[in-house]
Amino acid sequence: MAEPHPDNAHHDAQHGAQHEAIARWERRWLNAAGLLLVLFIVLVAYSLATEGGHIAQRSGRTSPERLSELELFATPGVTVTNLGAGRAPEVQVSVVAQSYAFNPAEILLPVGAVATFYLTSRDTQHGFQVQGTNINVQLIPGEISTFTYTFRDPGVYRVTCNEYCGIGHHNMLATIRVLYPGDLAAASAPATEGDAAAAGHAVGEGVYTANCAGCHGAAGEGVAGAFPPLAEGHVAELVAAERTYLPNVLLYGLEGPIQVRGTTYNGQMPAWSALTDEELSETMNYLMSGWGDDAALPDFAPYTPDEVAALRETPLSAQDVHAQRQGLLGN
Amino acid sequence: MAVSTAALPRVGSAHPEKRVTLAFLVTGLLALLVGALLGPLQAFNYAGINLYDDLPFLRSYYQGLTLHGVLNAFVFTTFFISGILLYLPARELGVRPDMTLAWGSYAVMVAGLVLAGWAVLTNTSSVLYTFYPPLQGHWAFYLGLTLVVLASTAVGFETIRMRARWKRQNPGRVTPLVTYMSVTTWLMWWLATTGIVLEMLFLLLPWSFGLIGGVDPELARTLFWWTGHPIVYFWVLPAYVSWYAFLPEQAGGELVSDSLARLAFIMFLLFSTPVGFHHQFTDPGIPAAWKITHSLLTMMVGIPSLLTAFTVGASLELGGRRRGGRGLLGWIPKLPWRDASFTAQVLAMISFIFGGAGGIVLASFNLNILLHNTAWIPGHFHITVGTATTLTFLGLTFWLVPHLVHKPLFAPRLALASAWAWFVGMMIFALGMHWQGYLAVPRRAQISALSGNWQGAYVDAAVPMAITGLSGAVLLVAIVLYFTVLFGTLFSRRKLSDDEVPAIPFARAAELRSEGILKVLDTLRAWFALAVLLVVVAYAPTVISMWLDQVPVPGVRLW
């Protein structure tokens, strides 16, 4: 067994010279390493001083259940404060993240605007990273993050959630469109052509695509074991059995295993009460009409915003909704 | 199990600590086998190829990713390190560890593995390696991880006690090098684990048992990264032990500076832990001044690694020249490249040059913001812990397993091939992932299963995605080759006679500074106290104010 013998160092002349050379290089190396790190630190400090300002800071704290009480997050989106006033427009952007969508899912900004962002999460941790910029913020329930950024180039920027937030995490994306003021007006104007039903359908489809398709699939096909299918008449069955169930699921979420046609699904449904009454009613109407479920229920009367508003009066828990679900369809 | 063999002469079979070491090593390597086999699936995902949804035994990509991260980065490393950092100092000192404590720690660690493994396999805890609340896993997951951590600190306790015993028997002598490095690593680990133990005991365990209704996610993150950064030094320092203490001997040279090795380890003890905020630069809840403080301290940790690069590099050069190498670079081809153990470890060191450079980028406050939570991060840690550490450990097993089981290494050329395949695969993987991260592709996302409206979201990253996919195939080959060699060795029917069993290749130290410096470096109690002080200064103001101002958030299960 070769035990170490630190005391038996070699001491002949050749090795002595070798070791002196090594010691000399060692000092040079150490000096160079120290200088290198000092250089890095100076470079970091320099770029912070010249281009800093977009680094996320805490703007405040709030418990996620009380988000809607804050004016900032009651209706998230873009507020332009002085567009066309002869100087760089100032914009306030509030964003609420929730598995698996950002609200709003599309942010329209005037080019050159000084945009101050306020972001938070309603449920679990998320990320907010904007492609091609150095915007990258951790969204933590209970924390409100803020930073200011100026978009100088028009274009479409991809926003990704870069923190794991559950099974649909990879489909949590959004877009920022930076437009010239003229294009901005056209893009933000509500659709005026077509009848009200078509406009409602577009609202429902938009909400579904942004918030629901990540789990339930673009065509409502679902994911075995986790997220039930919405197509194939399943929504029609539920609506026929109990009309209040569907709005309750959307408003309050669902927690616990359910059975659909012999298959168990056990993914958690988040609560979507942050969406408006109209968005929720149009989404449900889209679920009925999007894949032909309404054919199975010819006398279906479309949901109205008032029905949703009425159900907001009696708050339920996700477990309560599960209990309501268990009473339907005989399972 | 531990039959008393103290009366026998000191030959291999007379070392009961060999069996407990083998148990730690083999359990860790089995975890690596399962964890690593999931790896190519992750690589294919980043090439847009979704194989996860076809696996019968896993419910989702994220369950598989949880298993991959926990088994490789947590279970494999902790078991393996507990084995070697107990065994090597014991043999260096000629001291026998307390076998009851050693086997007891092993049993607790296995119990922890079973609990956490059950929780992940039943899909109750697909919370990934970082288990950030408010995603809420099963209590068995948190309890299991806690047991693994506590058992490892007990192994550290025994190593520290062995040094104390040796010191009493050898008053006035300086601690031998391997023991010195091992004890310093364990002291650093004690300091590092305080964060995660606080997180588990006060937040996650009571929460998962239903005793408290919610936890503050920002506080939990901060405690997690208190441990989560220095854990990378807990992974890499045992590799440094081998690079300093064994590799020069394997190269035919000697360690050029014993005291520089010790200085590097002292610097790691001091600067490994008070740096965790550099994982939280994008967090809103930490004041910018503290983020910058941790950023500067992180730069300090670069110094001992640069020291190591010099000392180990010079030791290898010395070996190459003793073997007849001439000229500026002529010593390189003279090194024993046919020796799988040597080659694996040198390749591991080469990967660490790139890993270290990428790490400096991440430590730089504002560059980090471009890369935080992108594919760059897994690219980075697969050439640090995934290669610098893991490939060194695999290289170690090429002599250590034969040394422990008294059997010859199975198919040494396959072993050599496995080392090259691992290195090449990981370097390709790192290229693809760093590049994707630069293009803002998020980390740990099932981008191969984008829904209709987002398909094509990452089309700008098609080239690096293809590169990452290629690496998955190479790494699959590396895994098959390595485990063929390992199992071939373990189950070989050939026994080595006592004089054929490979000895532990302790390297001689060529040069010694004055005794005075070594004595100062040997006052580990004082250095540890200084390290504790630095952690208190770096963490106490932030953690205390977070603790007093918590906004608890209820748990959610979203998988």
Side-chain angles (χ1 to χ4, degrees):
Chain A
M1 184 60 51
E3 298 287 344
H5 298 287
D7 305 330
N8 290 355
H10 292 254
H11 282 300
D12 57 81
Q14 194 204 342
H15 285 163
Q18 222 167 26
H19 292 142
E20 267 178 37
I22 290 172
R24 206 165 49 240
W25 279 105
E26 184 186 287
R27 280 193 298 276
R28 289 177 188 160
W29 175 271
L30 267 181
N31 291 338
L35 276 177
L36 194 65
L37 293 181
V38 169
L39 177 70
F40 289 158
I41 291 168
V42 168
L43 285 175
V44 168
Y46 171 77
S47 70
L48 269 182
T50 52
E51 357 168 330
H54 52 263
I55 289 155
Q57 298 285 336
R58 172 187 283 175
S59 146
R61 308 204 73 188
T62 179
S63 128
E65 303 99 79
R66 309 183 60 182
L67 269 190
S68 330
E69 297 169 21
L70 295 178
E71 196 188 339
L72 191 58
F73 295 114
T75 51
V78 180
T79 315
V80 181
T81 47
N82 65 343
L83 185 57
R87 52 198 170 95
E90 283 170 22
V91 168
Q92 175 188 292
V93 186
S94 58
V95 177
V96 177
Q98 178 171 12
S99 293
Y100 307 100
F102 294 102
N103 183 12
E106 182 175 62
I107 297 167
L108 302 176
L109 292 175
V111 67
V114 181
T116 301
F117 284 74
Y118 296 90
L119 309 94
T120 192
S121 164
R122 187 180 295 283
D123 46 17
T124 185
Q125 296 190 31
H126 300 281
F128 185 91
Q129 181 173 17
V130 184
Q131 172 195 26
T133 73
N134 47 14
I135 297 174
N136 196 345
V137 195
Q138 195 80 24
L139 307 187
I140 300 175
E143 299 273 355
I144 301 168
S145 308
T146 184
F147 64 90
T148 301
Y149 190 89
T150 305
F151 286 88
R152 300 189 193 284
D153 299 313
V156 181
Y157 296 76
R158 179 185 73 218
V159 180
T160 47
C161 169
N162 62 13
E163 186 60 82
Y164 171 59
C165 58
I167 194 120
H169 161 56
H170 45 281
N171 280 320
M172 182 160 171
L173 292 97
T175 47
I176 294 177
R177 291 171 63 198
V178 179
L179 301 165
Y180 290 110
D183 301 334
L184 188 66
S188 3
T192 47
E193 289 178 28
D195 59 359
H201 187 86
V203 169
E205 185 175 12
V207 171
Y208 182 82
T209 306
N211 301 304
C212 320
C215 293
H216 292 286
E221 68 273 20
V223 173
F227 310 113
L230 305 176
E232 300 157 32
H234 180 215
V235 168
E237 275 174 33
L238 292 169
V239 172
E242 173 50 60
R243 190 175 166 90
T244 63
Y245 170 69
L246 193 59
N248 278 336
V249 175
L250 267 63
L251 279 170
Y252 305 115
L254 175 76
E255 193 178 324
I258 58 167
Q259 297 266 324
V260 180
R261 304 201 176 98
T263 305
T264 302
Y265 296 88
N266 199 9
Q268 183 164 333
M269 169 78 177
W272 293 99
S273 52
L275 297 173
T276 65
D277 295 341
E278 192 203 348
E279 284 170 328
L280 288 171
S281 61
E282 291 303 343
T283 303
M284 292 187 287
N285 294 335
Y286 175 74
L287 296 182
M288 283 297 290
S289 61
W291 312 290
D293 270 39
D294 43 1
L297 199 61
D299 56 346
F300 168 68
Y303 281 102
T304 64
D306 292 344
E307 277 180 276
V308 178
L311 286 168
R312 284 190 199 264
E313 302 295 315
T314 46
L316 301 176
S317 73
Q319 290 83 1
D320 295 338
V321 178
H322 183 247
Q324 189 188 13
R325 173 69 172 71
Q326 295 308 80
L328 306 177
L329 308 184
N331 52 40
Chain B
M1 185 114 14
V3 184
S4 172
T5 49
L8 294 173
R10 275 193 62 186
V11 292
S13 57
H15 288 286
E17 63 269 27
K18 278 193 171 185
R19 290 179 68 182
V20 75
T21 305
L22 189 67
F24 274 117
L25 259 52
V26 170
T27 313
L29 289 164
L30 289 176
L32 178 70
L33 173 60
V34 177
L37 279 175
L38 292 166
L41 298 177
Q42 255 91 250
F44 296 146
N45 166 62
Y46 271 89
I49 304 164
N50 180 16
L51 299 181
Y52 258 101
D53 294 349
D54 303 321
L55 289 183
F57 47 88
L58 289 176
R59 292 277 298 278
S60 74
Y61 168 83
Y62 297 102
Q63 187 190 8
L65 190 55
T66 305
L67 205 55
H68 177 77
V70 169
L71 286 180
N72 289 344
F74 192 68
V75 176
F76 160 62
T77 52
T78 309
F79 273 85
F80 198 98
I81 293 165
S82 295
I84 58 174
L85 290 196
L86 179 71
Y87 181 73
L88 297 171
R91 295 304 306 273
E92 184 189 47
L93 298 175
V95 169
R96 173 149 313 155
D98 179 333
M99 294 308 293
T100 315
L101 190 91
W103 280 110
S105 307
Y106 174 75
V108 172
M109 214 181 270
V110 169
L113 169 59
V114 169
L115 279 173
W118 172 82
V120 176
L121 287 173
T122 51
N123 198 33
T124 59
S125 307
S126 298
V127 290
L128 303 190
Y129 170 79
T130 46
F131 50 85
Y132 293 140
L135 294 180
Q136 190 174 28
H138 195 279
W139 58 261
F141 179 76
Y142 303 118
L143 184 61
L145 296 190
T146 309
L147 290 179
V148 173
V149 167
L150 290 178
S152 71
T153 59
V155 175
F157 171 75
E158 180 54 21
T159 308
I160 291 164
R161 219 166 51 150
M162 286 194 302
R163 170 177 178 263
R165 264 160 66 197
W166 183 89
K167 279 281 204 185
R168 277 197 300 277
Q169 290 158 2
N170 298 274
R173 284 187 64 193
V174 170
T175 312
L177 182 61
V178 169
T179 307
Y180 184 86
M181 295 190 285
S182 305
V183 168
T184 321
T185 305
W186 284 122
L187 288 174
M188 186 281 291
W189 182 233
W190 277 6
L191 195 52
T193 49
T194 313
I196 210 168
V197 169
L198 289 174
E199 183 192 8
M200 289 294 189
L201 293 186
F202 289 99
L203 303 177
L204 300 186
L205 281 168
W207 179 54
S208 62
F209 280 115
L211 301 176
I212 54 175
V215 295
D216 185 301
E218 183 70 293
L219 173 62
R221 278 173 70 81
T222 304
L223 293 173
F224 178 84
W225 286 114
W226 172 335
T227 303
H229 190 72
I231 199 175
V232 312
Y233 301 112
F234 180 61
W235 297 331
V236 93
L237 291 184
Y240 277 24
V241 170
S242 180
W243 298 354
Y244 274 118
F246 306 137
L247 205 55
E249 171 76 12
Q250 292 177 288
E254 45 191 34
L255 175 60
V256 297
S257 176
D258 174 284
S259 50
L260 268 192
R262 292 169 195 256
L263 178 64
F265 272 74
I266 284 296
M267 291 187 73
F268 278 116
L269 173 61
L270 293 178
F271 297 117
S272 289
T273 312
V275 297
F277 291 171
H278 78 237
H279 290 256
Q280 299 177 276
F281 285 157
T282 69
D283 280 28
I286 296 172
W290 283 113
K291 289 178 181 172
I292 290 171
T293 309
H294 281 223
S295 181
L296 293 177
L297 285 165
T298 312
M299 294 287 183
M300 294 295 291
V301 201
I303 293 189
S305 280
L306 287 165
L307 264 179
T308 303
F310 179 86
T311 311
V312 177
S315 303
L316 295 184
E317 183 178 343
L318 208 58
R321 294 198 184 285
R322 295 239 170 112
R323 289 165 162 265
R326 296 278 174 275
L328 188 62
L329 298 172
W331 55 275
I332 296 174
K334 297 286 182 184
L335 291 169
W337 294 106
R338 283 162 185 247
D339 176 348
S341 174
F342 172 84
T343 301
Q345 297 186 62
V346 173
L347 294 176
M349 287 164 56
I350 293 170
S351 80
F352 200 52
I353 296 173
F354 298 95
I360 295 273
V361 170
L362 291 173
S364 303
F365 195 52
N366 38 4
L367 292 179
N368 177 287
I369 287 164
L370 199 65
L371 302 167
H372 172 75
N373 269 348
T374 66
W376 178 291
I377 310 300
H380 168 70
F381 65 67
H382 279 79
I383 51 172
T384 49
V385 63
T387 310
T389 295
T390 304
L391 191 50
T392 297
F393 288 179
L394 302 187
L396 262 176
T397 61
F398 293 148
W399 67 259
L400 183 55
V401 171
H403 166 86
L404 293 172
V405 298
H406 298 206
K407 290 175 179 179
L409 180 67
F410 177 79
R413 294 180 67 170
L414 275 192
L416 188 60
S418 75
W420 276 102
W422 192 283
F423 171 74
V424 170
M426 283 298 187
M427 293 304 278
I428 299 173
F429 177 82
L431 172 65
M433 295 300 271
H434 280 80
W435 188 348
Q436 288 188 55
Y438 184 71
L439 298 174
V441 176
R443 72 185 288 198
R444 43 190 199 182
Q446 194 183 8
I447 62 170
S448 59
L450 293 175
S451 72
N453 48 324
W454 294 118
Q455 267 173 21
Y458 303 113
V459 72
D460 54 328
V463 173
M465 283 172 69
I467 292 174
T468 303
L470 172 69
S471 75
V474 178
L475 286 165
L476 187 59
V477 172
I479 295 163
V480 171
L481 290 177
Y482 173 76
F483 282 94
T484 305
V485 172
L486 177 70
F487 292 124
T489 307
L490 287 173
F491 296 113
S492 166
R493 293 208 196 113
R494 260 193 67 203
K495 267 281 184 187
L496 293 174
S497 67
D498 282 347
D499 53 338
E500 286 175 320
V501 172
I504 302 177
F506 288 113
R508 290 159 179 269
E511 171 267 2
L512 286 175
R513 298 283 161 89
S514 68
E515 276 286 292
I517 292 175
L518 291 182
K519 285 243 160 79
V520 171
L521 289 172
D522 215 28
T523 54
L524 284 177
R525 211 180 287 249
W527 289 110
F528 184 60
L530 186 59
V532 172
L533 184 70
L534 261 179
V535 171
V536 169
V537 169
Y539 268 107
T542 310
V543 168
I544 290 171
S545 77
M546 281 184 184
W547 205 286
L548 297 176
D549 177 30
Q550 296 185 46
V551 176
V553 173
V556 287
R557 184 174 179 273
L558 296 167
W559 55 85

